[in-house]
Amino acid sequence: MFDDHSPIYRQIAEQIKADVLRGVLSAEEQVMSTNQYATHYRINPATAAKAFQQLVDEGVIYKRRGVGMFVSAEAPQRLRDEKRERFFTDVLDPMVAQARTLGIPAADIVTRIQHLMDQGDAR
């Protein structure tokens, strides 16, 4: 599950966010405790705690005293909105700049995107 490219606590936080986005974890659903997470993935509990604290700070999860950690009600939508904005900034904006450089008309781009989206619907 973990690679050497970024700190493990960040990878844990990103995995939990991905689980929320995919619906594996739903709003108001309880998540594993830091100790359960540490035991399951054989990592230091402090590393898991650091990931969970990052998620709390970002409003993805929250703690119910004496009960555990839960996905916040607004987390799925907030994460989708953040990913959507990053998609436009990181993918679409550079693509449009490149299309301008190459002289590709917007209509051609829209047609191609629609074709690709339709192929995805057929699967």
Side-chain angles (χ1 to χ4, degrees):
M1 172 178 176
F2 305 115
D3 61 38
D4 293 330
H5 301 296
S6 65
I8 291 174
Y9 80 91
R10 284 192 186 149
Q11 294 178 55
I12 293 167
E14 290 304 314
Q15 180 61 47
I16 291 172
K17 289 178 187 180
D19 287 347
V20 171
L21 280 170
R22 286 193 319 270
V24 174
L25 289 171
S26 302
E28 300 302 331
E29 183 174 342
Q30 187 169 12
V31 298
M32 276 193 269
S33 72
T34 55
N35 288 334
Q36 289 171 322
Y37 209 91
T39 300
H40 185 267
Y41 289 105
R42 296 183 177 151
I43 60 170
N44 187 317
T47 301
K50 189 171 182 175
F52 279 52
Q53 186 58 53
Q54 177 183 327
L55 294 168
V56 167
D57 292 346
E58 293 175 5
V60 175
I61 62 174
Y62 67 95
K63 183 176 184 173
R64 286 189 195 160
R65 191 177 193 104
V67 181
M69 302 291 244
F70 293 80
V71 176
S72 68
E74 59 278 347
Q77 188 60 49
R78 179 183 301 152
L79 290 171
R80 269 192 297 280
D81 291 346
E82 288 173 9
K83 284 279 195 184
R84 192 174 288 130
E85 187 56 39
R86 259 186 268 138
F87 170 79
F88 285 116
T89 302
D90 297 347
V91 177
L92 196 59
D93 294 352
M95 182 197 74
V96 169
Q98 183 70 16
R100 276 192 192 118
T101 300
L102 297 173
I104 300 171
D108 289 358
I109 296 169
V110 171
T111 299
R112 179 65 178 245
I113 291 171
Q114 189 60 57
H115 174 74
L116 293 171
M117 297 292 282
D118 291 346
Q119 282 181 335
D121 292 341
R123 290 180 198 172

